[in-house]
Amino acid sequence: MTPAIMPAISLASQPAQFDGAVGFTVAEGKDWSGALSALDAACGGAIKRTAQAASFDGAKGKTLLVLGAGADVPARIVLTGLGSDAPSDLDLNKAGASLLAEIATRGDTTLTLVPHDGSAASAAALVEGAAMRSYRFDAYRTRLKDDQKQSIATLVGACDDPSAAAGLMTDIAGRISGNYLARDLKHEPANVLYPVAFAQRVKDELEPLGVEVTIIDEARMEKEGWGALLGVGQGSVRDSAVVVMHWKGASGGVHDDPVCFVGKGVCFDTGGISIKPAGGMEDMKWDMGGAAAVSGLMKSLAMRKAKANVVGLIGLVENMPDANAQRPGDIVTSLSGQTIQVLNTDAEGRLVLADVLWHAQEKYQPRFIVDLATLTGAMLVALGHEKAGVFSNDDELAAQLFDASEATGEYVWRMPLGQEYNKMLDSKEADMRNIGGGRWGGSITAACFLERFIQKGQKWAHMDIAGVVWSDKPKPLVGSGATGFAVRSLDKLVQDNYEA
Ligand code: BES
Ligand code: MN
Ligand code: ZN
């Protein structure tokens, strides 16, 4: 497992001369910044002339690459438009990302990003976006040519007063590292990243940062009665595992009770005996996207030393067909004591989460729980690849998730729970069945299943991230492949609402 390398990031004063490539933001209909005008003067107006020839006026999302503008200026200068409205942080993130995308493989090792307004906060937002877009998973590409490789290794935000955003850079480094970890985990194939390997990787990443990491193995789960989770893993030659990651960043006072994040970590989902069709099954290597997000979040919180107590719990299994696999119709007893008739072995994520959610509540009495799971194909039918579904028994928590998601571009949309859906899970032979009656409303019945393992009064939200953990087409901020969805938004949720 070779981790993707994050570029070094920093802020600096506006340099007299640029080292490597340089990128600028341009506000539509406004004068160019002093820094950009000075560079243009240094190359005899070549940038302005190119902009005019290309009709580049700073319209939102448009970029302009200026090559070889002069002997004493960077060989590659790139401009991106912000439009005429005042840009949000997310707009600046996206601007930084498009500047990076334009320059990434052209041979420069440093990219300096210069915001239109010269402010440290804007420079930091550009750097964050560029670092997000800079992610590459090339671990197994042994024959990449130089011009296919990412050359940028250093990102510098140039601004008038770098000290104004020094703290911000620590936060950004944490969030990006967490996002990168989540993406690495999703990219790794299932022959490499099986449950115990996942657990070990997370331990190696997080313990040095001061996170307490406990691995609950199969023997302990058998003794304690994690029957729902173990039933899913029993067809695999790989052992199942649960990882508990405890970050104790708050000291004393009302903020001591932890908040919990729970992730579905199905390292590969064949469907089991209710086997999936062959076409596209390879996608199910990222059926651990919830667990990846929780692991990345813990890394982010620890790196920026968040003043909060947070427990991340992930249930790691492999869902395989096998002579010893769970059969349709099997009845398992969950950790909560409730029995479940497993009518479809492909509805396995909810079985894993049932036991991990129960353990989280029994052990930590959390202020809230958010679980993340690539839970249902029906989620893609409802919201496509643009937004994740949020199901919650608490309006305040749902609103906090929504606000954090809007700020980071990791969009969520609220979906319903309700008795009408919940009762579809009633079984004549056990306390419940693991699927609803038909295929309609599949994401909602899945969420209702999880709700049956939420204790009275427990604030809880479930995020079905099936449509957003991976993107085949390039997205502005993340490019294509694993997105690391929810690391940055959940980090923000904690930072904005739960830090002392
Ligand atoms: N991991 C899948 C959900 C999934 C499917 C995520 C496609 C992303 C893309 C999950 O375990 C699953 O198989 N769910 C079934 C549930 C059904 C059997 C009730 C589904 O959605 O088809
Ligand atoms: Mn499945
Ligand atoms: Zn699954």
Side-chain angles (χ1 to χ4, degrees):
M1 274 181 263
T2 319
I5 298 162
M6 188 189 142
I9 60 169
S10 60
L11 291 183
S13 314
Q14 304 276 9
Q17 234 164 6
F18 294 99
D19 177 20
V22 58
F24 293 88
T25 55
V26 172
E28 188 175 3
K30 299 223 177 73
D31 288 343
W32 285 4
S33 65
L36 180 51
S37 300
L39 190 66
D40 189 41
C43 55
I47 306 175
K48 259 266 135 82
R49 281 197 301 279
T50 312
Q52 267 154 11
S55 309
F56 174 85
D57 53 3
K60 196 168 179 172
K62 285 257 165 30
T63 58
L64 176 77
L65 180 63
V66 184
L67 298 169
D72 300 320
V73 300
R76 281 159 291 274
I77 299 166
V78 56
L79 276 52
T80 192
L82 294 171
S84 44
D85 296 339
S88 64
D89 277 355
L90 180 56
D91 292 328
L92 291 166
N93 292 159
K94 286 182 183 164
S98 41
L99 291 171
L100 181 281
E102 197 62 64
I103 287 298
T105 58
R106 293 180 190 273
D108 304 284
T109 55
T110 299
L111 173 62
T112 302
L113 299 156
V114 193
H116 58 298
D117 64 357
S119 80
S122 299
L126 291 179
V127 168
E128 178 165 8
M132 279 292 287
R133 186 68 193 254
S134 183
Y135 180 86
R136 294 280 186 119
F137 187 79
D138 289 337
Y140 301 98
R141 302 284 304 269
T142 64
R143 293 172 182 200
L144 272 188
K145 302 211 176 63
D146 277 348
D147 62 356
Q148 295 174 302
K149 285 186 194 151
Q150 169 103 346
S151 55
I152 298 292
T154 304
L155 295 168
V156 181
C159 53
D160 301 336
D161 176 15
S163 67
L168 253 181
M169 294 312 280
T170 315
D171 292 355
I172 290 171
R175 282 199 291 272
I176 302 294
S177 305
N179 173 277
Y180 271 43
L181 172 59
R183 287 204 252 184
D184 277 351
L185 291 166
K186 285 187 248 189
H187 274 282
E188 285 291 355
N191 60 325
V192 175
L193 197 78
Y194 46 91
V196 169
F198 192 133
Q200 192 59 46
R201 170 81 189 270
V202 164
K203 195 174 159 79
D204 293 345
E205 286 273 352
L206 298 181
E207 269 184 352
L209 297 172
V211 180
E212 228 170 68
V213 179
T214 311
I215 299 176
I216 304 178
D217 64 10
E218 278 197 354
R220 177 172 157 197
M221 286 192 269
E222 265 155 31
K223 214 162 65 205
E224 294 178 356
W226 301 56
L229 184 151
L230 289 172
V232 176
Q234 81 186 32
S236 172
V237 295
R238 308 290 198 182
D239 273 6
S240 304
V242 167
V243 184
V244 181
M245 302 161 260
H246 201 155
W247 170 251
K248 298 173 180 170
S251 48
V254 291
H255 297 283
D256 268 5
D257 291 344
V259 300
C260 280
F261 294 92
V262 169
K264 167 181 172 180
V266 177
C267 293
F268 197 83
D269 180 14
T270 64
I273 297 298
S274 314
I275 197 162
K276 288 181 181 296
M281 200 201 274
E282 65 277 8
D283 284 351
M284 287 299 108
K285 77 168 180 181
W286 47 252
D287 205 19
M288 30 55 74
V294 172
S295 306
L297 170 66
M298 297 310 295
K299 181 167 186 183
S300 173
L301 295 168
M303 276 189 67
R304 63 173 189 79
K305 302 196 166 53
K307 292 189 174 53
N309 293 335
V310 182
V311 186
L313 305 101
I314 55 179
L316 302 168
V317 301
E318 184 179 49
N319 188 22
M320 298 293 273
D322 178 78
N324 190 45
Q326 158 161 276
R327 292 147 292 253
D330 282 5
I331 295 177
V332 296
T333 302
S334 67
L335 188 61
S336 73
Q338 300 179 90
T339 57
I340 306 162
Q341 185 184 25
V342 181
L343 287 178
N344 189 320
T345 65
D346 197 12
E348 85 297 338
R350 62 197 75 182
L351 297 169
V352 172
L353 290 174
D355 282 350
V356 184
L357 284 168
W358 193 260
H359 176 77
Q361 294 166 91
E362 290 284 295
K363 179 106 201 233
Y364 299 103
Q365 291 87 44
R367 298 168 70 190
F368 72 70
I369 300 184
V370 173
D371 77 71
L372 296 107
T374 49
L375 204 61
T376 63
M379 202 65 246
L380 284 100
V381 177
L383 298 177
H385 294 293
E386 310 308 325
K387 297 188 184 201
V390 165
F391 305 76
S392 183
N393 60 11
D394 188 76
D395 291 345
E396 191 191 9
L397 179 56
Q400 288 170 349
L401 281 166
F402 180 80
D403 291 346
S405 90
E406 290 288 310
T408 51
E410 296 174 340
Y411 297 116
V412 302
W413 197 253
R414 186 130 180 219
M415 300 279 293
L417 295 158
Q419 204 41 49
E420 312 81 342
Y421 300 98
N422 190 299
K423 67 175 189 235
M424 296 176 195
L425 297 163
D426 289 341
S427 163
K428 287 205 174 77
E429 291 166 74
D431 295 339
M432 70 193 85
R433 37 196 280 162
N434 76 328
I435 52 171
R439 53 193 284 255
W440 307 123
S443 304
I444 308 171
T445 48
C448 288
F449 181 92
L450 300 179
E451 195 182 20
R452 287 182 177 224
F453 297 86
I454 297 300
Q455 298 174 359
K456 211 169 151 25
Q458 175 66 57
K459 292 182 185 180
W460 159 75
H462 157 59
M463 296 173 68
D464 193 332
I465 57 174
V468 293
V469 293
W470 192 275
S471 183
D472 288 330
K473 290 195 215 110
K475 289 204 165 173
L477 201 50
V478 290
S480 57
T483 60
F485 187 93
V487 172
R488 291 164 65 249
S489 49
L490 295 180
D491 183 81
K492 190 167 170 50
L493 170 91
V494 172
Q495 188 164 40
D496 289 354
N497 304 291
Y498 295 94
E499 290 198 34

